[in-house]
Amino acid sequence: MRKIILFSLLGLLVLASSCSSLPALQSTWNRSSSLQNTLEDLEANVFFSEDELTLKLSNDANYLDIIVSTNSPITLNKIYNLGLSIWLDPQGKNKQIFGVNFPLPIEKPYSSTAFRNYISQFETNELQEEFFDRFQKYEYEDIRLKENISVSTLDQDEACQVRLSSNNQILLSCHIRVSLKKLMGSEFKLTGKEKIGVSIFSTSLATEAYRSSLSSKEVINQRLNRLKAGDDPNRQELVEQWTNFSLATESK
């Protein structure tokens, strides 16, 4: 009986080890990292079919550029109502270490019908101005430092910059630009061996009051328990999931 238990435990350890060593997606080297560079010519690294979201990741030696985009009005409605939250794990272990909330949830959520009527009043080129007017505040949080900083898009922070945009091809694109030294440590130097975990969440749940971010273990556990119970076909939040990336170097 003891041998059976030992072999079972060994099997679980091997399985856990194989899962933790799954290959990461490759970030793209970006010679012109800036908020103005929308990376339109760069193919998305991954497509999340549940919410029709794409995720692009690029980096240079100093900054990580994350672009989340969608052409789905339903997904845009969720983001308007509940915000968009991007969490990063600088060790690729899928833990919420550094988070960016932008846009923040609106005070009065739209129903799906009301939202369709709302955005229908804008021409494609007018949505850009709508995003700029409506969403001028964002926040980023470093769990390690117990730090939560609120910033205006009118006065971008060098450590973390964000921008929403819209054009003829993309209904919504959220560009988040994070200093690698802020994320990885002040002594950081890029080697190409780094792995970073990236997640896309809603900032708040449809059934909960807005919280500035998901730093408390209670809130995280509530969200995990909801996931364990199975996906709700009428869910209003974005599906939560992690993707690991290897950072690029100039030679790659």
Side-chain angles (χ1 to χ4, degrees), residues 218-230:
E218 292 78 13
V219 175
I220 295 170
N221 287 334
Q222 286 176 12
R223 297 173 73 90
L224 290 175
N225 289 336
R226 287 175 182 272
L227 285 179
K228 291 175 184 176

Side-chain angles (χ1 to χ4, degrees), residues 22-23 27-28 45 50 109 162 179 185 210 212 218 226:
L22 289 174
S27 175
T28 301
N45 297 93
E50 298 91 340
V162 299
S179 164
Y210 166 64
S212 63
E218 292 78 13
R226 287 175 182 272

Side-chain angles (χ1 to χ4, degrees), residues 26-30 37-45 55-59 65 67:
Q26 181 64 55
S27 175
T28 301
W29 181 256
N30 182 5
N37 184 354
T38 60
L39 304 178
E40 288 183 1
D41 297 332
L42 181 65
E43 185 178 350
N45 297 93
L55 174 63
K56 297 180 184 180
L57 204 83
S58 70
N59 67 275
D65 288 275
I67 296 185

Side-chain angles (χ1 to χ4, degrees), residues 176-194:
I176 296 174
R177 189 166 177 264
V178 179
S179 164
L180 284 171
K181 287 192 174 182
K182 178 67 175 177
L183 179 64
M184 311 293 284
S186 59
E187 302 300 319
F188 172 76
K189 290 185 178 179
L190 182 67
T191 66
K193 297 180 180 179
E194 298 83 2

Side-chain angles (χ1 to χ4, degrees), residues 1-250:
M1 182 67 178
R2 178 177 294 179
K3 289 183 177 179
I4 294 174
I5 294 174
L6 288 174
F7 278 120
S8 298
L9 290 174
L10 180 60
L12 288 173
L13 288 173
V14 170
L15 178 61
S17 175
S18 64
C19 290
S20 63
S21 60
L22 289 174
L25 298 178
Q26 181 64 55
S27 175
T28 301
W29 181 256
N30 182 5
R31 289 184 173 84
S32 54
S33 173
S34 72
L35 279 184
Q36 283 64 48
N37 184 354
T38 60
L39 304 178
E40 288 183 1
D41 297 332
L42 181 65
E43 185 178 350
N45 297 93
V46 62
F47 175 70
F48 302 110
S49 57
E50 298 91 340
D51 291 308
E52 298 184 42
L53 284 166
T54 60
L55 174 63
K56 297 180 184 180
L57 204 83
S58 70
N59 67 275
D60 63 8
N62 300 307
Y63 279 91
L64 180 69
D65 288 275
I66 305 154
I67 296 185
V68 178
S69 303
T70 185
N71 273 320
S72 167
I74 295 174
T75 298
L76 180 56
N77 189 182
K78 294 175 185 177
I79 291 173
Y80 255 69
N81 287 349
L82 300 172
L84 180 65
S85 184
I86 305 296
W87 280 94
L88 305 174
D89 184 342
Q91 295 185 337
K93 296 181 179 179
N94 298 355
K95 294 183 179 180
Q96 294 173 325
I97 303 298
F98 187 93
V100 183
N101 293 328
F102 183 74
L104 299 175
I106 62 174
E107 294 181 0
K108 296 180 180 180
Y110 289 95
S111 67
S112 57
T113 301
F115 188 73
R116 282 197 302 270
N117 293 334
Y118 173 71
I119 64 170
S120 66
Q121 65 184 299
F122 300 106
E123 298 292 337
T124 304
N125 60 344
E126 292 176 332
L127 269 178
Q128 177 81 45
E129 291 299 321
E130 162 63 6
F131 294 150
F132 182 80
D133 291 339
R134 181 173 285 271
F135 300 111
Q136 292 188 15
K137 294 288 185 181
Y138 67 97
E139 59 188 20
Y140 65 88
E141 178 171 10
D142 192 326
I143 298 301
R144 299 162 296 189
L145 303 177
K146 297 182 179 179
E147 175 184 76
N148 187 291
I149 297 177
S150 180
V151 189
S152 168
T153 55
L154 302 176
D155 184 23
Q156 294 277 5
D157 189 302
E158 282 299 314
C160 178
Q161 306 163 15
V162 299
R163 179 175 181 263
L164 293 181
S165 62
S166 179
N167 56 44
N168 291 328
Q169 286 75 42
I170 300 296
L171 182 61
L172 171 73
S173 179
C174 181
H175 186 167
I176 296 174
R177 189 166 177 264
V178 179
S179 164
L180 284 171
K181 287 192 174 182
K182 178 67 175 177
L183 179 64
M184 311 293 284
S186 59
E187 302 300 319
F188 172 76
K189 290 185 178 179
L190 182 67
T191 66
K193 297 180 180 179
E194 298 83 2
K195 286 186 170 56
I196 292 179
V198 182
S199 69
I200 303 173
F201 295 163
S202 290
T203 302
S204 62
L205 288 172
T207 54
E208 295 179 355
Y210 166 64
R211 296 175 172 86
S212 63
S213 60
L214 303 177
S215 59
S216 76
K217 291 182 180 179
E218 292 78 13
V219 175
I220 295 170
N221 287 334
Q222 286 176 12
R223 297 173 73 90
L224 290 175
N225 289 336
R226 287 175 182 272
L227 285 179
K228 291 175 184 176
D231 193 22
D232 180 358
N234 298 313
R235 124 193 96 75
Q236 298 176 48
E237 306 87 20
L238 300 174
V239 172
E240 304 175 8
Q241 46 204 318
W242 285 87
T243 307
N244 283 335
F245 288 87
S246 295
L247 291 187
T249 59
E250 191 169 8

